[in-house]
Amino acid sequence: MPLNRRTFLGRSAVAGAGVALAGGVGSGPAVASEAKGHGHGRPPKRYSFTVMGTTDLHGNVFNWDYFTDKEFDDKAHNDVGLAKISTLVNQIREERGRRNTLLIDAGDTIQGTQLSYYYAKIDPITAKRGPVHPMAQAMNRIGYDAAALGNHEFNYGIPVLRKFEEQCDFPLLGANALDAKTLRPAFAPYVMKRVRTPHGRDVRVAVLGLTNPGIAIWDKANVGGKMVFPGLEEQAAKWVPKLRSMGADVVVVSAHSGSSGTSSYGDQLPYVENAAGLVAEQVPGIDAILVGHAHSEIPEYFVTNKETGKQVVLSEPLKWGQRLTLFDFDLVWEKGRWVVEKVGASVLNSNAVPEDPRITSMLGDEHKKVVAYVNQVIGTSVAAMSTADAPWKDEPVIDLINLVQAETVKAALAGGEYAALPVLSQAACFSRTAAIPAGEVTIKDAAGLYPFENTLEARLLTGAQLKDYLEYSARYYVQTAAGAPVDTSKLTNAENIPDYNYDVVSGVSYDIDIAKPAGSRIVGLSFEGAPVDAAAQFVFAVNNYRASGGGNFPHVPGSKQLWANSDEIRNTIIGWVQAKGSVDPAEFASVDWRLTRDGVPVF
């Protein structure tokens, strides 16, 4: 039976209060016991402890959505933020004794909310006498023992990441983040923690941090020539035996990598993006893996190691501080060392507890500053625009993104070799709840259209490559026969393709025939009323995530780069609205694409 919180607490309580004091915290239940012996008269020594884990916090401290400027809520009524996590952590430490617990994270900490953006760009932590990052303040107060590096840690450049690292009271781990010149670790690969037991023999717990090889692609501008990121399996195979030889009784891997064994960057790199399951399967000597990156909820998942036949437990606590993973370890003293007898995992939901007032009061001023910042008015809009129907209809709000991107690229290429070529642009619906209201438009409204820190590039594509690109994008729709009823809740996200990996392209017109199989859906692709010539050349305004292989779209990563910008597309949109003063959809909205079945429009 896998170990869960209930069985753990029930069994731990048997041991009696005296042992709890020896274990460190008198108020918690005892976590050591003398069980029935092995037939030698003396019962073996036993000890239990818990490793708590978070991942993909993405700048969430408060249960707050800065893009809507109200308390966070979703369909499942999840809550977010470190203030909630802090309450759960306090409860577990109280129940089990603080010294019988560790707390780790699996990365993507300093990017994702306007709070984290503000302290990277508006009031940067890198400034002389700059502020301490709110995530560092909160995680220090909560008492993290270690955090793995996520790929989004590199979004703001290495200086911001190094400053954040300096501000943390715990190490940032990345055994496969290597200095490009020396090929030595650029960050601490691991941390070794000693957990005191009532038996006079500490448990040595090694936490190995692994990050995502995709950083080399997604943040090439920041890390190119400075750092390299080999595969997780290769580096785990190098470090786990070292940790065991150094005396680690327990090895926990904190991996900013999903468990599915897939990659979104195709053959751009010879490494797997979501490799946590492969690490468990291929590398002997690991007891548990805290999984990150995929934004999935995996309370407990066992993988059998091919070499040893041993079960390795994996757990992923969703994202944004919505869940807290608990790895519960049972150890037994055998042949002069601690041996893991049983380990299980579970997750706790942060919506079941209030925010910790120690965290919210400590960072109240920072929160107020950011709320004031996002509520600055930057212009007006003649009409309301929304992304609610954007996954299946050509909506003005997506046209706005494409317009800004196309105009920015045209201006950048003006007077140059490629100035005469037509400019096309790609955009995705990142959020189905983003909206530009009629009337005053604020920073938060404009930023809500583009929640990611992507930057803009211009690439050179042919008509044939464009067709391939659109066919690949159109896999997003579930094949739906002509005449069959259309349910928009079941129409999209085929093959689990997320909304952000469905692109629409402006500057050309086309139909997507969803009655046809994926790969043969683009009908009537035309430019200025004439069919697109396969050999024609186009400038393609595209975000750096897509240009560097994100989503594994064809042709763009290998295409000629004509121009690139380091400013976030989000800021470009904000600046465009400020410069225009008033936004009128009538000036730019047009229906360039539509869903059809056998030539008949779906909507």
Side-chain angles (χ1 to χ4, degrees):
M1 181 173 114
L3 184 63
N4 61 35
R5 186 164 165 242
R6 197 174 294 108
T7 56
F8 177 95
L9 290 175
R11 192 179 54 251
S12 297
V14 171
V19 186
L21 287 166
V25 181
S27 59
V31 287
S33 62
E34 302 287 348
K36 288 180 181 174
H38 288 174
H40 301 298
R42 290 180 62 193
K45 299 180 175 93
R46 284 196 154 81
Y47 175 70
S48 299
F49 75 101
T50 298
V51 176
M52 300 176 278
T54 54
T55 192
D56 295 276
L57 293 166
H58 282 289
N60 285 282
V61 173
F62 296 84
N63 186 38
W64 194 260
D65 184 342
Y66 292 97
F67 293 128
T68 59
D69 199 23
K70 61 188 183 204
E71 194 170 292
F72 178 88
D73 195 23
D74 63 12
K75 282 181 188 167
H77 300 299
N78 287 302
D79 286 348
V80 299
L82 276 168
K84 291 263 181 175
I85 290 296
S86 183
T87 302
L88 289 175
V89 167
N90 291 339
Q91 286 181 359
I92 297 303
R93 285 173 175 161
E94 183 74 18
E95 285 173 7
R96 302 179 188 189
R98 186 181 179 114
R99 291 191 193 177
N100 305 315
T101 64
L102 294 172
L103 175 61
I104 63 174
D105 182 81
D108 276 4
T109 305
I110 58 169
Q111 172 279 337
T113 62
Q114 289 298 91
L115 180 74
S116 50
Y117 177 82
Y118 188 89
Y119 287 98
K121 294 284 193 176
I122 309 302
D123 185 10
I125 60 172
T126 46
K128 202 173 178 181
R129 291 192 290 277
V132 177
H133 200 291
M135 295 301 285
Q137 290 192 58
M139 293 172 85
N140 289 343
R141 175 65 69 92
I142 295 166
Y144 274 78
D145 292 289
L149 293 163
N151 51 288
H152 285 287
E153 258 63 86
F154 294 85
N155 286 173
Y156 297 119
I158 292 170
V160 169
L161 174 52
R162 287 297 189 196
K163 188 65 183 180
F164 175 70
E165 179 187 33
E166 189 186 302
Q167 293 178 343
C168 290
D169 295 342
F170 51 90
L172 300 183
L173 307 177
N176 61 330
L178 310 181
D179 180 276
K181 291 183 180 65
T182 65
L183 295 184
R184 288 186 178 144
F187 295 83
Y190 67 89
V191 66
M192 189 82 78
K193 305 295 289 190
R194 281 179 174 268
V195 181
R196 272 180 61 191
T197 77
H199 301 296
R201 303 278 190 154
D202 295 349
V203 177
R204 283 167 291 194
V205 183
V207 180
L208 178 68
L210 295 168
T211 192
N212 205 290
I215 295 163
I217 288 177
W218 304 320
D219 264 308
K220 189 176 177 182
N222 290 325
V223 301
K226 296 171 186 167
M227 291 185 196
V228 293
F229 302 87
L232 285 86
E233 309 99 301
E234 167 198 320
Q235 293 300 302
K238 173 183 169 181
W239 283 100
V240 171
K242 283 187 183 178
L243 296 172
R244 288 293 184 185
S245 69
M246 289 163 62
D249 301 301
V250 178
V251 174
V252 178
V253 173
S254 184
H256 192 75
S257 180
S259 63
S260 63
T262 59
S263 282
S264 69
Y265 46 70
D267 56 5
Q268 292 288 299
L269 276 181
Y271 310 120
V272 177
E273 176 184 350
N274 295 303
L278 297 173
V279 170
E281 187 180 85
Q282 295 174 17
V283 181
I286 296 167
D287 296 297
I289 302 181
L290 178 65
V291 178
H293 184 60
H295 291 200
S296 302
E297 181 174 353
I298 306 172
E300 181 182 64
Y301 174 53
F302 287 97
V303 172
T304 304
N305 183 267
K306 279 184 173 172
E307 193 173 314
T308 64
K310 189 184 145 189
Q311 294 264 288
V312 183
V313 67
L314 283 69
S315 180
E316 183 174 6
L318 202 52
K319 63 183 188 295
W320 305 346
Q322 294 176 351
R323 304 287 184 274
L324 177 70
T325 279
L326 307 180
F327 290 111
D328 292 322
F329 290 88
D330 276 6
L331 276 60
V332 63
W333 183 260
E334 277 180 3
K335 296 176 184 170
R337 58 175 294 240
W338 288 109
V339 177
V340 175
E341 195 173 42
K342 190 190 278 186
V343 56
S346 56
V347 295
L348 301 179
N349 193 330
S350 69
N351 72 6
V353 295
E355 293 185 312
D356 182 347
R358 293 182 318 149
I359 304 299
T360 53
S361 61
M362 178 177 74
L363 292 166
D365 288 347
E366 286 85 343
H367 177 64
K368 282 177 194 156
K369 276 183 193 172
V370 176
V371 168
Y373 163 73
V374 300
N375 281 292
Q376 288 177 41
V377 174
I378 54 170
T380 58
S381 178
V382 171
M385 295 180 278
S386 159
T387 56
D389 294 335
W392 50 85
K393 286 183 187 172
D394 188 344
E395 289 289 296
V397 74
I398 304 296
D399 292 339
L400 174 63
I401 297 171
N402 275 325
L403 172 70
V404 172
Q405 292 181 164
E407 283 192 0
T408 303
V409 165
K410 276 177 194 163
L413 298 180
E417 183 185 349
Y418 301 96
L421 289 181
V423 177
L424 314 180
S425 177
Q426 64 76 225
C429 175
F430 293 123
S431 161
R432 298 189 183 195
T433 57
I436 298 289
E440 290 187 340
V441 178
T442 63
I443 283 176
K444 77 170 187 284
D445 299 325
L449 297 182
Y450 222 105
F452 296 108
E453 261 76 62
N454 295 344
T455 57
L456 189 60
E457 296 191 16
R459 297 286 182 126
L460 192 63
L461 286 189
T462 66
Q465 289 174 329
L466 175 67
K467 173 95 169 0
D468 287 348
Y469 189 98
L470 290 170
E471 287 287 8
Y472 182 84
S473 185
R475 300 174 311 133
Y476 171 75
Y477 294 105
V478 174
Q479 189 172 357
T480 310
V486 174
D487 177 355
T488 54
S489 71
K490 294 172 184 166
L491 180 64
T492 61
N493 309 98
E495 301 174 45
N496 292 317
I497 296 167
D499 291 348
Y500 63 77
N501 274 343
Y502 169 62
D503 286 358
V504 301
V505 174
S506 73
V508 288
S509 59
Y510 55 95
D511 290 349
I512 301 171
D513 191 332
I514 59 171
K516 291 188 167 70
S520 55
R521 290 178 170 175
I522 302 301
V523 181
L525 177 59
S526 62
F527 173 71
E528 292 185 343
V532 167
D533 181 348
Q537 287 192 313
F538 297 94
V539 174
F540 196 45
V542 60
N543 70 50
N544 69 310
Y545 173 74
R546 195 68 81 232
S548 61
N552 201 22
F553 277 64
H555 305 306
V556 174
S559 64
K560 183 179 175 67
Q561 186 190 72
L562 309 180
W563 172 83
N565 186 11
S566 61
D567 200 22
E568 287 96 348
I569 293 168
R570 174 164 70 201
N571 280 349
T572 306
I573 296 169
I574 290 167
W576 189 91
V577 173
Q578 282 176 316
K580 287 278 288 184
S582 178
V583 177
D584 185 357
E587 293 175 5
F588 57 81
S590 62
V591 178
D592 297 319
W593 65 275
R594 61 182 184 166
L595 299 186
T596 61
R597 290 182 294 182
D598 296 345
V600 179
V602 175
F603 298 107

